[in-house]
Amino acid sequence: MSIAATVNTGAAAAKPVLNVAMVGHAFMGRAHGNAFRQVNHFFDLPFHVVPAVIVGRDPERAAAAAHKLGFAESTTDLKATLARQDIHLVDVATPNDSHCAIALQALAAGKHVLCEKPLAMTVDEAKSMVAAAKKKKVRVGLWHNYRRAPATRLAAQMIARGDLGEVRQVRAVYLQDWLADASVPASWRTSRKTCGSGAHGDLNAHLIDLTRALTGLEFDSVIGVQQTFTKERPDGAGGTAKVDVDDALCFLAKFKNGAVGTYEATRVAPGRKNFNCIEISGSKGSLRWNLERMNELEVFLFADPRDGQGFRTIMCMDSVHPYAANWWPDGHIVGYEHTFVHHVADFVAALASGEPFAPDFQDGLAVQGVLAAVLESVKAGAWVKVRR
Ligand code: SOE
């Protein structure tokens, strides 16, 4: 079934469509699928985004996901989907070990590509994805969605205009506890073969990207320590499976401008559900963002009147703040899923205008370089230079 080339939005001219094939339909597939549908309702874009096809491994489960997420079709045939002229954008929402292969096939077919994080399993895979995207001159993006919370966008603006002065320290933690219980079964996220690393690639990847985006700092060298507290887990079939990735990984960073940073990712910190918390300290002030209080930004500036100094909390849901005006009247808060909608809105706008979009695969390669250097430093027990 081919999908309409345009949709009548009631405006003078029909709007061209951007037909999306999404590969994968689990947790991230649900978040992406919701964003592809919602974006048309809240953002005025040059394309009408159409959730067209879900590609899955199991026909019944893919069909059920297509129905639930509002996609027009489902299939298990990726090759045939990539051959279709009426598919414009391929979204990679699969486990880490298939990101590179799917993205390279989609790029070879001339499709625009959005890929889940981390970009790849290795720096070499990431380099091949960057090269393929450059060769095909299509648009690519990486789903580091936390860049697009209203509060993190305000944080980036404040740092860029010099409110904090020279950035000197980065303090970043991403703490979860869904693996704290040893009886939680093994999954693709606990096997090196399918995920590359544990909390490190899953959560430190977000911290590395977000702190790069907020500060513009580039990593110079790193040193890490990791631990796997639960070394085997039920395999869901009555046996057990080895856990060969980190439950927790902490690392120190030196940046090229002389700033220093501390990073911590864990999925075994009881009571921390999705505690992604970044604090940036500069020569003139500091700011702190906590995903569990997503719409708030805590700020301390020496420039504030002395008797007014102290960390103050900015509610970033007034229409003066990025994205806020697209949703509701001042102060009506948004959530985790809205960061994905913002991601699609900005990607589609950039695709139409030709303006840059970040994070792209080059940003993904930068993250991959830091992830790899940290793992090298864990093995060596020494500082390792970050190479890209
Ligand atoms: C699991 O740790 C996870 O789903 C991550 O993979 C996501 O990137 C993060 O946004 C939420 O937690």
Side-chain angles (χ1 to χ4, degrees), residues 27-28 117 146 174 176 178 189 202-203 206 274 336:
F27 176 4
M28 285 301 123
K117 43 54 62 180
Y146 297 122
Y174 200 155
Q176 296 178 342
W178 60 279
R189 292 178 186 272
D202 191 11
L203 304 178
H206 275 304
N274 207 20
Y336 172 72

Side-chain angles (χ1 to χ4, degrees), residues 45-70:
L45 295 169
F47 290 102
H48 185 83
V49 178
V50 176
V53 184
I54 280 192
V55 184
R57 283 177 292 196
D58 175 281
E60 283 72 37
R61 288 177 54 217
H67 174 73
K68 195 162 183 127
L69 292 173

Side-chain angles (χ1 to χ4, degrees), residues 113-114 139-144 147-148 323 342-351 354-363:
V113 177
L114 279 172
R139 301 309 299 271
V140 294
L142 185 57
W143 285 97
H144 280 298
R147 287 185 181 220
R148 290 181 161 82
Y323 306 119
H342 302 159
H343 200 94
V344 175
D346 289 352
F347 183 77
V348 172
L351 196 158
E355 290 298 306
F357 174 83
D360 61 9
F361 284 7
Q362 194 64 49
D363 293 301

Side-chain angles (χ1 to χ4, degrees), residues 309-334:
Q309 281 182 357
F311 271 94
R312 54 193 162 90
T313 300
I314 300 170
M315 164 53 87
C316 303
M317 278 317 294
D318 285 2
S319 48
V320 69
H321 296 302
Y323 306 119
N326 285 83
W327 296 99
W328 320 112
D330 286 4
H332 289 65
I333 57 176
V334 294

Side-chain angles (χ1 to χ4, degrees), residues 1 20 46 49 64 82 145-146 169 172 198 229 252 276 279 281 314 346 359 373 383 385-386:
M1 176 185 100
V20 181
V49 178
L82 296 181
N145 55 300
Y146 297 122
Q169 286 186 262
F229 299 101
L252 300 178
N276 173 353
E279 180 166 310
S281 302
I314 300 170
D346 289 352
W383 285 92
K385 276 279 190 194
V386 176

